[in-house]
Amino acid sequence: MNAVAVLRSPGVARLGGAGLLSEAGDWMLFIALPVFVLQLSGSPLITAAVFALELLPTVLVGPLAGVLIDRVDPWRLMSCVAVLQALLLLPLLLVDSAADLWLVYVVVVAESVLGTIIEPCRTATAASLVPVGDLMAVNQLMAVLSSVARLVGGPVGGLVLALGGIDLVLLADAATFLAAAALLVPGCRGAGRPAASARVRLFRDWADGIAVVARVPTLRRAMGVTACMALAQGAFVVLFVLFVFRDLHGSETDVGLLRGVQAVGAVAGGALLGLVSRRSGVPRLVAISLAVFGLVSLLTWNAPAVTTALGVYVGLFIAAGIPGLAAMTGLVALLQEHSPEEARGRVMSTFFAVFGGVQALGMLLAGLVGTGTGLTVALQVQAGLYLLAAALATRLGAGAPRVTGDGGSPARPRSTAASTG
């Protein structure tokens, strides 16, 4: 089944539509809030600190959020979180000066905590809506919708900011969360999951989820690949800006353009992903995609020796979006497929926590790099990390078969385990 056909599976359209709306709103705020904070504070450091705060809940709260995801009806959880995301934006309407920036810090952390819950919950829920054989298709669909949200939300956020200021952006973002919640409400099944919530042993259940990752070879290896990818991605966030200014002699506009066009490649690549994955297999697809991503990165970082024409780099960044989407989609599908259903939320939360934590480490390490020879070396190392991740990914297909709830034989495909009807 391809990504379009999988929309017919009960619940998938609602889940994808809700994700598209809420992520478009996220990108609107992601574009507008840095400008607003910089205007109030006049400090790039304070602006950067606001967004560094977003990583903390992913690392600290993420694994524990997985316990909640595995114990509560996922549709009800996601709809409630979406409403809270809308309500918690409203205090930002009170921010008028630099003295009010503490409200921004509080809201950013609170929104990040809620995002730490809803992202792995959406991923775990998507896996329960389709048979195992359609995991790549449903993840492909979600990834393409996420890229569309990025393409739409960013420009709209800038336009809304110009027309109505930050207050209009906040209200528009809140509206997207409420619309997403409305789409998710029909999925609430009333009975929810087994009434184990009263008996939740928070840290023990979290430790049990970590034990699942450690016990299943594919999950264990996938986390190693994730860590390597995240280190490279974190370094990219810092090194990329330095590269544009030093090597391409570009501007802030060029930085925004090159970051945005990667989503174009992701959308285009999504159309081919299903065909490629069926022919090569998911583990091999992940390894090949990471290798291609690493090679495109090497080509990009060294191309200024030949040309600094911006059009060349637009093409390279679009090209990088294709293997980038394929690698992440395949990796998520493997995590979903090899996770016991009752622990899938904790596995996915662990994945997001590892990615966020190591990504932060990559940012810090890259922040120590200067703009001279150190930057040149760091760029090569960053691309090399993707090649190392590709080498690690060649082992993803080896080891034990898919596990069931008891860690035994392969699971039978399920078509509508969490369907909305």
Side-chain angles (χ1 to χ4, degrees):
M1 188 181 295
N2 60 38
V4 176
V6 82
L7 277 169
R8 294 194 294 267
S9 298
V12 170
R14 289 186 181 278
L15 188 66
L20 175 63
L21 284 168
S22 61
E23 289 193 51
D26 286 341
W27 275 101
M28 289 171 59
L29 193 62
F30 182 80
I31 295 299
L33 194 57
V35 177
F36 178 65
V37 172
L38 186 60
Q39 288 172 343
L40 285 181
S41 67
S43 170
L45 180 60
I46 291 177
T47 305
V50 168
F51 297 97
L53 287 173
E54 291 186 357
L55 293 173
L56 290 178
T58 302
V59 179
L60 301 177
V61 182
L64 298 179
V67 177
L68 179 64
I69 294 167
D70 286 331
R71 294 293 182 265
V72 179
D73 176 78
W75 294 92
R76 178 170 294 171
L77 177 62
M78 288 186 291
S79 61
C80 290
V81 166
V83 171
L84 286 174
Q85 285 177 306
L87 294 176
L88 286 175
L89 286 174
L90 300 182
L92 292 181
L93 295 172
L94 303 175
V95 177
D96 293 320
S97 67
D100 300 323
L101 282 176
W102 66 271
L103 269 175
V104 176
Y105 302 145
V106 171
V107 170
V108 165
V109 171
E111 291 285 353
S112 183
V113 169
L114 294 174
T116 296
I117 296 171
I118 204 166
E119 289 299 330
C121 189
R122 185 186 297 140
T123 305
T125 303
S128 70
L129 296 175
V130 297
V132 171
D134 290 333
L135 285 177
M136 276 297 294
V138 76
N139 289 325
Q140 172 191 352
L141 173 67
M142 297 300 170
V144 169
L145 289 175
S146 180
S147 296
V148 171
R150 177 178 178 177
L151 285 173
V152 173
V156 170
L159 178 63
V160 172
L161 181 65
L163 293 176
I166 191 66
D167 288 357
L168 186 58
V169 175
L170 293 170
L171 293 174
D173 192 11
T176 64
F177 285 132
L178 293 176
L183 278 177
L184 294 166
V185 165
C188 299
R189 304 175 64 195
R193 295 189 177 175
S197 56
R199 305 191 303 273
V200 167
R201 304 156 300 174
L202 187 61
F203 289 100
R204 184 167 180 179
D205 283 359
W206 167 75
D208 288 344
I210 299 297
V212 170
V213 174
R215 185 171 65 246
V216 180
T218 299
L219 298 180
R220 189 170 62 246
R221 292 166 184 154
M223 292 300 173
V225 174
T226 299
C228 204
M229 288 173 57
L231 191 63
Q233 178 61 28
F236 168 83
V237 172
V238 176
L239 298 177
F240 160 71
V241 177
L242 298 176
F243 168 78
V244 172
F245 285 124
R246 187 197 72 169
D247 294 0
L248 301 186
H249 312 293
S251 65
E252 292 86 349
T253 302
D254 297 329
V255 170
L257 173 65
L258 293 176
R259 284 298 304 271
V261 296
Q262 217 169 8
V264 176
V267 173
L272 304 174
L273 185 56
L275 177 63
V276 174
S277 65
R278 285 194 296 272
R279 289 185 174 182
S280 63
V282 177
R284 187 180 179 193
L285 173 67
V286 173
I288 292 174
S289 298
L290 287 169
V292 171
F293 199 101
L295 292 174
V296 172
S297 297
L298 280 175
L299 178 60
T300 301
W301 303 145
N302 292 285
V306 178
T307 179
T308 58
L310 185 63
V312 172
Y313 297 90
V314 169
L316 287 170
F317 273 81
I318 291 175
I322 299 174
L325 177 135
M328 186 61 74
T329 300
L331 194 59
V332 169
L334 285 172
L335 291 168
Q336 293 167 327
E337 180 180 347
H338 290 266
S339 302
E341 182 178 2
E342 71 276 6
R344 187 174 286 142
R346 281 166 285 175
V347 171
M348 296 311 304
S349 292
T350 301
F351 163 72
F352 283 106
V354 169
F355 198 93
V358 180
Q359 186 178 21
L361 176 62
M363 291 179 185
L364 292 174
L365 292 175
L368 301 175
V369 173
T371 58
T373 304
L375 174 58
T376 302
V377 173
L379 290 168
Q380 315 310 312
V381 172
Q382 189 271 347
L385 286 170
Y386 280 112
L387 297 178
L388 176 58
L392 294 174
T394 60
R395 292 284 297 157
L396 287 173
R402 293 189 307 272
V403 297
T404 59
D406 59 3
S409 59
R412 295 192 304 271
R414 296 160 18 262
S415 58
T416 57
S419 68
T420 61

